[in-house]
Amino acid sequence: MANGFKVFSTGEVLTAADVNDYLMEQSIGIFANSTARDAQITSPTEGQFCFLADTNVLQFYNGSAWAAYLDEGDISNITAGTNLNGGGSTGSVTLNLDTTISGVTLTDYAETDVAVTSSSGVVAINMNNGNTGSITLTENITDIDFTNVPGAGVSTFTLQITQHASSAKTVAINAVTVNGGGNVTAKTAGGAGYTVSDGANAIDLVTFLFLDAGTPLLNSLQNFS
């Protein structure tokens, strides 16, 4: 049987046993098919490998039978399905999500609630994290900074604002930045502006709508309590 690894010395006699144990039983024999293999390897050793040319299969002897170690598998082609593109039948295959999805019906879904906080009056909202969020006011908000707003198309972010429990805070919308741009004032219907509800624990729902990452349009539903 195979004995592992041996370091041969200069002048050492290479015996038949050494050839069988260290070379023949521990090499990968190449055969036209399993019939040719069985005709030449009549007493296989556990752990011995062979390669069958007719099926391109690498096999090993598990002590009782020859078993496939690697084979070509049964996947011959990857086809892009609904809302996917890419695929292929050879080489490295990539599937991509089609971002121009239309006619999709969603049921029983929920959006990620991004936990929004403020620091020194600044609220930072990364839209890569989601399109809805919530904040409980602990200080006056003087700056709202949006990042990763899509540069093309319409996108929105809806923010639930909960007023402080005892000391009313303010929210300014005249220092809104979009993707690192300069301060802009969010646009409101009739230019009426926005004043956050000041009742203790009052809740406002404020939606910022962006067209091509431009100045946001602001719509609010106020004073839930």
Side-chain angles (χ1 to χ4, degrees):
M1 62 181 297
N3 290 324
F5 185 84
K6 177 179 179 179
V7 177
F8 290 89
S9 303
T10 302
E12 182 177 351
V13 175
L14 184 62
T15 65
D18 285 341
V19 171
N20 290 331
D21 291 344
Y22 295 105
L23 300 179
M24 300 302 293
E25 292 178 353
Q26 298 183 170
S27 64
I28 298 179
I30 301 173
F31 302 97
N33 49 49
S34 60
T35 300
R37 176 203 63 206
D38 293 341
Q40 296 184 48
I41 306 178
T42 56
S43 299
T45 299
E46 184 175 4
Q48 189 171 1
F49 274 81
C50 74
F51 180 81
L52 303 182
D54 62 336
T55 55
N56 290 326
V57 173
L58 182 66
Q59 292 186 323
F60 71 100
Y61 192 73
N62 61 18
S64 60
W66 290 98
Y69 181 71
L70 294 173
D71 57 33
E72 293 182 323
D74 57 3
I75 298 176
S76 59
N77 187 59
I78 297 177
T79 302
T82 304
N83 298 324
L84 296 172
N85 59 55
S89 58
T90 60
S92 298
V93 176
T94 300
L95 287 175
N96 300 302
L97 176 66
D98 187 351
T99 57
T100 59
I101 297 174
S102 62
V104 176
T105 300
L106 301 177
T107 60
D108 192 24
Y109 79 97
E111 294 191 54
T112 300
D113 178 22
V114 180
V116 178
T117 59
S118 63
S119 177
S120 301
V122 178
V123 172
I125 298 175
N126 182 350
M127 289 183 59
N128 275 350
N129 295 330
N131 292 82
T132 62
S134 58
I135 184 173
T136 297
L137 298 180
T138 59
E139 60 181 352
N140 295 331
I141 303 303
T142 58
D143 194 341
I144 303 175
D145 298 334
F146 288 92
T147 54
N148 292 306
V149 178
V154 176
S155 56
T156 63
F157 189 90
T158 298
L159 180 64
Q160 176 180 298
I161 301 175
T162 301
Q163 183 58 266
H164 192 276
S166 59
S167 175
K169 309 302 179 182
T170 61
V171 176
I173 61 169
N174 62 348
V176 178
T177 67
V178 181
N179 295 344
N183 287 339
V184 297
T185 299
K187 297 180 180 181
T188 56
Y194 166 71
T195 301
V196 65
S197 299
D198 59 6
N201 299 312
I203 296 173
D204 290 357
L205 287 180
V206 179
T207 299
F208 297 85
L209 184 148
F210 304 88
L211 175 61
D212 300 336
T215 299
L217 309 180
L218 185 151
N219 185 46
S220 62
L221 297 172
Q222 294 191 257
N223 203 25
F224 294 89
S225 60

